[in-house]
């Protein structure tokens, strides 16, 4: 044992008692799942006073018949304080191996003198290790780790979570909710969805927190708000894309590489994780903590600070909704977890083995610990992917029991027990070919009858949304009628993290694009997903909870962008190449700083890149993705393509990575703020404020409410909707969704016969309609809308 770690001591008696407790639980519990729920609370590395309790579920040790004396908890202590903000460092670690006690597949060790990390300093790192007959040590990483500065595929940091919770700045927010029994959070009124790395110039949780603090101070002091500020106003909930650790680079470099010295120290090269990912390529391990790529300080406290900034926002507190991905794992999860976690491959990578009672229990414990960062709500990604194989019937079955367990999980923050609000993305029978027609979007709602406030993403949110194509709104009219009847527990809106990716897969030369939305393809996309008429429909008409995506309201680009792929990275870029036509024009490409990597590789102009992208997708298809042949054929093009001097497989992979990284920077909202139209941002904020003032609009259409489209169609789609408030007021909205302009019409003539007359007054008008218009005849054009109120 090294001098610097001489205070570290193994507590044999306490470890033995913990192992015996585990045995009693396994013996006396009603079933293995119940036992697993109890034991999972003791797994991971937990600071308890002056000791740290280590617990692992390691069934592979039983598979491999590893003896007790060859199993240890490895403690790694860096020489000196680590600067986790450095892009790369060389560090030496002292290493100590702690003895363990086993109880079937569970392994425990308790030690004093272990250094726990906190906001101010780095703690010791750890893993479970076992020794084979030749003396080789193999690590088993902790899937329940609470700090992973070098990603989920490296040793974790011991972290003082209790201290982090004790110091949280929003304790009074939670304490005010304390009651007999768990507090139940209800649905918010509207949601802002965003992607942390593109939401601010800084691209971190801390940077976004500073933005919320600054905005809050301006609101508290009654200062005027700029268009960039208005993008965040009018919402009472914020939903970041997943914050869990994602995959690492397939071909390296690793964020933690090491060698063992003769003296028994670990010499390591450490890299600050810097991957580009939109959050859904996860490995399951590390789900309880925060992706280090998103952390400015490498301290998970940043997520607590963000929750507190929302909860302490002046006026109406804002809720934090976490997006969790437990329906699948990338194949890299096989390198982070035991094979016992998996039930076989799927289109994303690996299915999880939900029928294994201990896997089931550990996944729920991961969720509990993550939400305890202070989330008020949870969005469950891909709920239709939670399945298990019924051997007797030879079919896959949806695990709705597990979804109920997710939404029934009690959280505790600042001494307050609570049940978060839950919303599920579920399009079953997706991926069946007819899923867009056959999905009801109510499967989870109807299963979870115990909770009337469970939500799902609605049909205009989940489905492939292409509102820039003529006839989209009439073709979706049958779905709109469903929204009016069932939408109270649906998320509404057409812009989210997924929709633009679907939109840019549309070949603009093969479908009838609504050119009235703009003069260029970029303008058409911008206005299609940040559309005044659509927003009136969402905020002043539809039931449910509206949701906007920050990149859409900022009229910034977005898409599923990741730079970790090696094997299929070129293929992914070939599939996304068409987005160049939609999202990047000559001017945008020419701006200094934009697409700098591609320019350095020889694609100096957009036209250079566009020509390369004309060849790449076709060659990927005709060669069946043979990279060597693709490289040779690209090199033979006449006249020669721009780009690298010689096309090779390596150069193709570099181009793919450069495209992903350049596009990721191009999508950052900060680049678009100076172009914001205050008329548009101001109108959208007024709409959101209107919804906040009229939360009754969440309910389904009732007696007397009406919705119709203007007939004859005559080359346009005009929606007219009447809603009745509980206090006797009436709201009437007219939305020009697409097509030709109208002749001069009086919007109030579109009211149902019995609702005409009275004290109707105009309360909202879309941009493009002059402020002097207060009512009467008007010519409505594509994307215009009006909202009237009476009573």
């Amino acid at each position: 044992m090294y001098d610097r770690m001489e205070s570290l001591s193994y507590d044999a008696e306490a470890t033995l008692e913990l192992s015996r407790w585990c045995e009693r639980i396994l013996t006396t519990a009603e079933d293995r799942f119940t036992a697993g729920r109890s034991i999972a609370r003791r797994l991971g590395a937990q600071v308890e006073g002056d000791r740290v309790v280590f617990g692992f579920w390691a069934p592979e040790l039983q598979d491999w018949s590893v003896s007790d004396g060859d199993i240890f908890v490895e403690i790694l202590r860096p020489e000196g304080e680590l600067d986790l903000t450095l892009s790369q460092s060389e560090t030496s670690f002292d290493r100590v191996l702690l003895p363990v006690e086993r109880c079937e597949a569970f392994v425990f060790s308790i030690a004093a003198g272990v250094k726990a990390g906190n906001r101010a300093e780095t703690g010791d790192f750890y893993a479970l290790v076992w020794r084979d007959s030749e003396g080789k040590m193999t690590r088993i990483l902790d899937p329940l780790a609470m700090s992973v500065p070098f990603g989920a595929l490296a040793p974790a940091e011991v972290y003082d979570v209790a201290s982090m919770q004790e110091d949280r700045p929003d304790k009074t927010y939670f304490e005010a909710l304390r009651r007999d029994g768990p507090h139940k959070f209800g649905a918010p009124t509207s949601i802002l969805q965003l992607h942390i790395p593109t939401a601010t110039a800084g691209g971190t949780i801390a940077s976004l927190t500073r933005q919320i603090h600054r905005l809050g101070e301006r609101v508290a002091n009654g200062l005027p708000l700029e268009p960039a500020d208005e993008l965040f106003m009018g919402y009472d909930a914020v939903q970041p894309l997943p914050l869990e650790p994602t995959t690492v680079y397939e071909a390296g470099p690793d964020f933690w590489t090491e060698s063992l010295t003769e003296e028994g120290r670990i010499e390591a090269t450490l890299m600050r994780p810097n991957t580009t990912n939109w959050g859904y390529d996860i490995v399951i391990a590390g789900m309880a903590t925060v992706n280090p790529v998103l952390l400015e300080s490498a301290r998970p406290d940043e997520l607590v600070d963000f929750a507190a900034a929302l909860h302490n926002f002046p006026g109406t507190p804002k809720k934090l909704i976490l997006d969790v991905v437990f329906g699948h794992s990338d194949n890299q999860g096989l390198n982070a977890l035991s094979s016992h976690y998996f039930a076989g491959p799927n289109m994303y990578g690996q299915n999880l083995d939900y029928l294994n009672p201990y896997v089931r229990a550990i996944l729920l414990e991961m969720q509990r610990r993550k939400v305890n960062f202070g989330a008020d709500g949870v969005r469950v990604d891909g709920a239709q992917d939670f399945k298990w194989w019924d051997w007797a019937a030879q079919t896959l079955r949806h695990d709705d029991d597990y979804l109920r367990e997710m939404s029934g999980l009690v959280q505790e923050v600042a001494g307050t027990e609570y049940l978060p609000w839950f919303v599920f993305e579920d399009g079953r029978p997706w991926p069946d070919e007819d899923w867009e027609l056959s999905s009801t979007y109510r499967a989870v709602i109807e299963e979870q009858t115990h909770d009337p406030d469970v939500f799902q993403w609605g049909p205009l949110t989940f489905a492939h949304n292409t509102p820039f194509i003529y006839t989209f709104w009439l073709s979706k009219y049958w779905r709109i009628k469903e929204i009016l009847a069932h939408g109270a527990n649906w998320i509404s809106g057409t812009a989210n993290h997924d929709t633009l990716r679907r939109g840019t897969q549309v070949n603009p030369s093969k479908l009838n694009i609504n050119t009235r939305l703009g003069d260029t393809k970029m303008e058409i996309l911008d206005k299609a997903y940040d559309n005044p008429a659509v927003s009136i429909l969402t905020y002043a008409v539809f039931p449910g909870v509206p949701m906007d995506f920050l990149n859409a309201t900022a009229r910034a680009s977005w898409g599923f962008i990741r730079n970790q792929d090696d094997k299929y990275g070129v293929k992914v870029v070939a599939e996304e190449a068409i987005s160049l036509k939609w999202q990047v024009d000559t001017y945008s490409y020419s701006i200094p700083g934009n697409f700098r990597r591609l320019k350095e590789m020889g694609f100096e102009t957009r036209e250079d890149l566009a020509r390369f992208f004309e060849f790449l997708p076709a060659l990927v298809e005709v060669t069946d993705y043979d990279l060597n042949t693709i490289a040779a054929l690209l090199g033979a093009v006449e006249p020669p393509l721009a780009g690298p001097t010689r096309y090779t497989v390596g150069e193709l992979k570099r181009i793919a990575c450069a495209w992903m990284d350049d596009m990721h920077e191009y999508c950052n909202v900060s680049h678009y703020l100076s172009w914001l139209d205050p008329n548009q941002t101001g109108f959208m904020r007024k709409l959101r404020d209107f919804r906040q003032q009229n939360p009754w609009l969440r309910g389904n259409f009732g007696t007397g409410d009406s919705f119709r489209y203007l007939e004859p169609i005559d080359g346009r789609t005009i929606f007219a909707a009447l809603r009745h408030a509980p206090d006797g007021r009436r709201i009437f909205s007219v939305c020009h969704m697409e097509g030709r302009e109208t002749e001069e019409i009086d919007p109030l003539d579109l009211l149902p016969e019995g609702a005409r007359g009275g004290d109707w007054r105009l309360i909202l008008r879309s941009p493009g309609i002059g402020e002097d218009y207060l009512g009467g005849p008007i010519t409505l054009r594509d994307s215009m809308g009006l909202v009237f109120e009476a009573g």
Side-chain angles (χ1 to χ4, degrees):
M1 182 165 309
Y2 299 104
D3 292 342
R4 292 191 315 109
M5 301 179 74
E6 63 182 5
S7 62
L8 195 152
S9 60
Y10 170 65
D11 192 329
E13 183 178 348
T15 303
L16 179 60
E17 177 53 36
L18 181 57
S19 176
R20 288 172 175 170
W21 168 85
C22 178
E23 184 176 6
R24 290 194 298 272
I25 294 294
L26 291 172
T27 302
T28 60
E30 180 180 354
D31 52 39
R32 289 188 299 157
F33 176 56
T34 304
R37 294 289 295 270
S38 295
I39 298 169
R41 298 290 289 266
R42 303 294 284 160
L43 300 182
Q46 300 189 61
V47 179
E48 298 183 357
D50 62 350
R51 305 183 309 174
V52 175
V53 179
F54 297 95
F56 295 84
W57 179 62
E60 57 267 53
L61 297 177
Q62 293 177 310
D63 297 340
W64 303 327
S65 301
V66 180
S67 63
D68 291 11
D70 288 321
I71 305 170
F72 309 92
V73 170
E74 176 187 43
I75 305 296
L76 302 172
R77 179 166 295 174
E79 289 188 353
E81 181 66 21
L82 279 180
D83 184 351
L84 298 174
T85 66
L86 294 176
S87 59
Q88 184 170 320
S89 62
E90 306 291 330
T91 304
S92 178
F93 291 88
D94 288 341
R95 183 190 195 213
V96 167
L97 301 178
L98 298 175
V100 302
E101 289 285 347
R102 296 173 68 181
C103 176
E104 296 188 11
F106 296 97
V107 181
F108 300 100
S109 186
I110 300 177
V114 178
K115 184 181 178 182
N118 54 41
R119 186 188 291 270
E121 55 186 0
T122 308
D124 292 337
F125 290 76
Y126 71 98
L128 188 67
V129 296
W130 62 277
R131 180 173 54 202
D132 65 17
S133 58
E134 297 179 354
K136 178 186 175 183
M137 292 287 193
T138 299
R139 281 196 182 115
I140 296 174
L141 301 173
D142 180 14
L144 284 159
M146 293 304 294
S147 178
V148 286
F150 303 102
L153 299 178
E157 178 192 7
V158 178
Y159 208 76
D160 191 348
V161 175
S163 175
M164 178 179 70
Q165 291 284 16
E166 180 61 29
D167 295 338
R168 62 181 308 132
D170 58 352
K171 289 174 69 175
T172 56
Y173 170 83
F174 285 99
E175 289 169 350
L177 303 174
R178 196 173 299 165
R179 47 172 288 184
D180 293 334
H183 169 79
K184 179 66 174 74
F185 277 108
T189 304
S190 63
I191 302 170
L192 175 64
Q193 187 192 43
L194 51 80
H195 176 232
I196 296 287
T198 58
T200 64
T204 63
I205 296 174
S207 175
L208 182 58
T209 300
R210 288 192 293 270
Q211 168 80 358
I212 299 299
H213 277 307
R214 173 190 171 277
L215 181 58
E217 289 178 5
R218 294 187 67 81
V219 169
N221 290 295
L223 297 173
L225 300 181
E226 299 176 341
D229 299 323
E230 291 186 309
L231 295 177
F232 292 87
M233 293 298 293
Y235 303 100
D236 59 350
V238 176
Q239 179 192 307
L241 271 59
L243 306 180
E244 290 75 47
T246 61
T247 52
V248 299
Y249 297 115
E250 283 184 353
D254 293 332
F255 301 134
W256 176 301
T257 56
E258 66 177 47
S259 60
L260 183 65
T261 68
E262 292 183 359
E263 296 80 17
R265 284 186 170 85
I266 297 289
E267 299 290 343
T269 299
L270 306 177
M271 278 185 57
R272 180 179 173 85
N274 60 353
T275 49
T276 295
N277 198 284
W278 278 58
Y280 294 92
D281 300 306
I282 52 86
V283 295
I284 296 298
M287 292 288 283
T289 189
V290 186
N291 184 356
V293 175
L294 307 179
L295 298 174
E296 186 175 290
S297 63
R299 305 290 78 191
D301 302 68
E302 287 184 28
L303 182 52
V304 169
D305 294 343
F306 179 52
L310 296 175
H311 294 155
N312 295 334
F313 197 83
T316 303
K318 298 181 185 295
K319 296 178 180 178
L320 171 63
I321 301 169
L322 292 182
D323 189 347
V324 298
V325 190
F326 282 104
H328 61 270
S329 170
D330 185 271
N331 283 324
Q332 287 189 21
L334 297 169
N335 300 324
L337 298 169
S338 159
S339 61
H340 289 257
Y341 280 88
F342 304 106
N346 62 24
M347 67 176 67
Y348 304 112
Q350 295 293 319
N351 292 303
L352 298 175
D353 188 1
Y354 300 103
L355 288 190
N356 185 310
Y358 301 134
V359 170
R360 198 177 185 91
I362 290 171
L363 293 178
L364 289 170
E365 179 63 12
M366 288 181 182
Q367 174 191 317
R368 188 189 70 82
R369 296 186 190 187
K370 184 56 165 284
V371 178
N372 272 357
F373 272 92
D376 310 82
V378 178
R379 183 256 184 187
V380 179
D381 180 69
Q384 72 277 341
D385 298 325
F386 291 73
K387 298 176 182 177
W388 56 274
W389 181 254
D390 186 335
W391 289 97
Q394 289 293 290
T395 187
L396 278 172
R397 298 199 183 280
H398 291 281
D399 200 339
D400 288 305
D401 287 340
Y402 184 82
L403 300 184
R404 281 192 290 272
E405 286 158 359
M406 292 182 84
S407 64
L409 202 58
V410 177
Q411 306 296 144
E412 184 175 351
V413 175
T416 297
E417 291 188 337
Y418 68 95
L419 289 163
W421 173 67
F422 263 77
V423 55
F424 294 85
E425 179 199 39
D426 191 304
R428 67 183 79 174
W430 188 89
D432 291 358
E433 290 184 0
D434 68 344
W435 73 271
E436 285 192 77
L437 293 175
S438 56
S439 176
T440 66
Y441 301 96
R442 298 197 300 275
V444 180
I445 292 170
E446 291 170 354
E447 281 287 337
Q448 300 214 25
T449 55
H450 67 287
D451 187 351
D453 216 23
V454 165
F455 268 61
Q456 285 189 230
W457 274 26
L460 290 186
T461 302
F462 186 95
H464 298 175
N465 291 310
T466 51
F468 51 89
I469 296 175
Y470 276 125
T471 74
F472 173 84
W473 289 102
L474 275 183
S475 71
K476 293 293 184 181
Y477 189 69
W478 67 286
R479 284 298 193 190
I480 289 174
K481 290 171 65 178
E482 289 183 329
I483 293 171
L484 307 181
H486 312 296
N489 283 51
W490 275 345
I491 301 298
S492 62
T494 57
N496 60 66
H497 69 273
D498 221 7
T499 47
L500 192 62
R501 178 170 63 113
R502 302 300 187 189
T504 54
Q505 291 171 356
V506 172
N507 190 324
S509 63
K510 293 184 178 180
L511 285 172
N512 194 11
I513 305 302
N514 182 359
T515 55
R516 287 185 174 87
L517 291 171
D519 296 328
T520 67
K521 296 182 183 68
M522 289 175 62
E523 290 177 357
I524 289 169
L525 278 189
D526 286 346
K527 196 166 183 180
Y529 291 109
D530 182 38
N531 187 284
V534 175
S535 297
I536 289 176
L537 200 64
T538 303
Y539 280 89
V541 178
F542 281 169
V545 171
M547 183 179 74
D548 296 323
F549 188 53
L550 178 62
N551 290 63
T553 56
R555 299 202 170 182
S557 294
W558 77 94
F560 266 28
I561 299 169
R562 61 182 184 272
N563 65 0
Q564 295 102 306
D565 295 344
D566 180 69
K567 183 176 181 180
Y568 292 110
V570 176
K571 186 175 183 179
V572 170
V573 170
E575 293 170 349
E576 297 289 328
I578 196 171
S579 67
L580 181 70
K581 297 180 179 181
W582 282 107
Q583 298 194 72
V584 187
D585 60 15
T586 299
Y587 174 75
S588 298
Y589 194 91
S590 70
I591 294 174
N594 281 359
F595 299 95
R596 55 189 176 85
R597 298 171 184 83
L598 287 166
K599 289 174 181 175
E600 289 169 0
M601 295 188 71
F603 299 103
E604 296 181 2
T605 69
R606 181 193 179 280
E607 289 66 34
D608 291 338
L609 185 62
R611 185 164 178 253
F612 169 78
F613 275 165
E614 289 296 328
F615 285 94
L616 182 64
L619 294 179
V620 165
E621 183 175 354
V622 300
T623 66
D624 196 25
Y625 194 52
D626 183 329
L627 285 176
N628 286 294
T629 303
I630 292 170
L633 292 173
L634 288 171
V637 171
E638 289 293 342
L641 295 170
T645 306
R646 177 171 174 266
Y647 277 93
T648 64
V649 172
E651 289 297 295
L652 286 177
K653 291 181 177 181
R654 284 185 60 220
I655 292 170
C657 192
W659 164 260
M660 291 295 185
D661 287 337
D662 281 346
M663 274 300 291
H664 185 254
E665 290 181 3
Y666 179 69
C667 290
N668 195 288
V669 166
S670 65
H671 302 318
Y672 300 81
L673 299 181
S674 60
W675 301 346
L676 290 174
D677 179 357
N679 294 318
Q680 174 68 6
T681 59
F683 169 73
M684 291 291 287
R685 180 189 171 186
K686 289 176 184 176
L687 258 182
R688 296 190 293 267
D689 289 343
F690 171 78
R691 185 70 171 215
Q692 294 291 334
Q693 295 156 11
N694 293 275
W696 59 271
L697 285 166
R698 179 198 146 181
N700 295 326
F701 268 46
T703 303
D705 292 344
S706 68
F707 188 97
R708 68 184 182 98
Y709 57 84
L710 181 62
E711 297 181 273
I713 296 297
D714 197 22
R716 69 216 168 189
T717 303
I718 311 291
F719 289 150
L722 175 66
R723 300 211 59 182
H724 291 73
D727 61 6
R729 287 179 300 117
R730 292 172 293 166
I731 304 297
F732 180 62
S733 304
V734 177
C735 308
H736 189 311
M737 307 306 297
E738 59 188 357
R740 298 177 180 176
E741 66 182 36
T742 67
E743 65 282 359
E744 274 206 344
I745 60 171
D746 188 332
L748 295 180
D749 288 345
L750 303 181
L751 278 162
E753 194 71 36
R756 296 177 186 175
D759 59 342
W760 289 102
R761 57 195 176 278
L762 181 66
I763 58 174
L764 289 167
R765 63 175 75 80
S766 64
I769 299 175
E771 292 186 6
D772 57 341
Y773 176 76
L774 301 176
I778 186 174
T779 298
L780 291 177
R781 298 179 178 85
D782 194 309
S783 306
M784 286 184 174
L786 299 162
V787 181
F788 297 86
E789 183 181 67

